[in-house]
Amino acid sequence: MGITNIFISGVGGQGLVLATGILSEVIFKEGLDIKTSDVIGLSQRGGMIWGSVRFGESVPSSMIPVGEAHILLAMEKLEALRWCHLVAPGGKVIINEEAIFPNRVLIEKEEYPLDINERILSRNLELISVNAKEKARALGNIKVSNIYLLGVLSRYLPFDENTWLEVIKNYVPKKTLDVNLTAFKEGRA
């Protein structure tokens, strides 16, 4: 088995750190070497955040070389566009259709691109588009959007569903356990 590279991007407050932690723990429990990194300092002002997860039999570094990510999990549309250059040709971009306008858009200095999906597809990438926030809203808790997205991601990874469920049980608050497990299962379905 070679090294698999997953890049996760989003905006502060979307649960990227929790999602990265769950994914990392699943990989560890499945017996593979793993390296991760994340940049979260910008999240305090609603800024962009990102993390990388690399796994395989032996992983030398957490840094994903440009053009070598197998999967980009984007919790926000613009962040998908911002980071899709890291994805290898033919790689997957799982994009949450939620748009969170950055400050430059809010103060009308820039416009939010309307053709994000088309621009990603033009790069010879596979686009998997979901509206995780609406799926989570239908479950009664928009905060489980990140867990729904992990469910979608899990379809493309070789890990046992029971390992995912066990790790989620250990990571999420007990009072939200049922809705988080439901969100994961619906995303995975």
Side-chain angles (χ1 to χ4, degrees):
M1 169 187 227
I3 295 173
T4 300
N5 299 315
I6 301 171
F7 194 84
I8 305 174
S9 65
V11 174
Q14 290 189 293
L16 182 139
V17 173
L18 177 66
T20 302
I22 290 170
L23 173 59
S24 300
E25 185 72 17
V26 167
I27 295 165
F28 179 76
K29 285 188 174 291
E30 291 278 328
L32 295 171
D33 188 21
I34 180 170
K35 301 289 186 291
T36 68
S37 68
D38 52 39
V39 174
I40 59 172
L42 302 172
S43 68
Q44 293 180 1
R45 299 204 184 276
M48 63 180 178
I49 56 176
W50 63 90
S52 64
V53 176
R54 302 184 77 204
F55 65 90
E57 289 183 24
S58 178
V59 181
S61 165
S62 64
M63 302 306 293
I64 298 174
V66 172
E68 292 189 24
H70 298 95
I71 301 173
L72 166 60
L73 175 61
M75 296 182 164
E76 194 277 340
K77 284 183 76 155
L78 185 58
E79 295 308 313
L81 182 60
R82 186 184 319 270
W83 295 104
C84 69
H85 70 281
L86 292 177
V87 183
K92 295 176 181 7
V93 177
I94 301 169
I95 183 173
N96 181 13
E97 287 296 326
E98 182 176 11
I100 299 174
F101 298 142
N103 288 337
R104 300 228 5 115
V105 171
L106 293 174
I107 62 172
E108 299 179 352
K109 296 287 184 188
E110 292 178 9
E111 291 196 22
Y112 195 92
L114 300 177
D115 61 346
I116 290 173
N117 291 4
E118 293 79 12
R119 289 165 72 177
I120 291 171
L121 287 169
S122 74
R123 297 180 70 96
N124 189 28
L125 301 174
E126 180 184 347
L127 183 66
I128 299 112
S129 179
V130 297
N131 193 329
K133 187 172 183 178
E134 288 307 311
K135 298 289 187 181
R137 185 183 321 275
L139 294 173
N141 186 339
I142 62 170
K143 292 182 179 180
V144 300
S145 298
N146 59 341
I147 303 300
Y148 181 87
L149 288 167
L150 278 180
V152 174
L153 173 66
S154 75
R155 298 178 202 168
Y156 306 101
L157 298 175
F159 307 126
D160 186 87
E161 181 176 4
N162 290 322
T163 305
W164 286 98
L165 298 175
E166 175 189 336
V167 171
I168 291 168
K169 288 177 186 176
N170 291 326
Y171 268 75
V172 302
K174 299 293 180 224
K175 65 182 180 179
T176 65
L177 179 58
D178 289 341
V179 71
N180 275 288
L181 292 176
T182 300
F184 177 81
K185 289 175 184 176
E186 287 193 13
R188 186 172 171 89

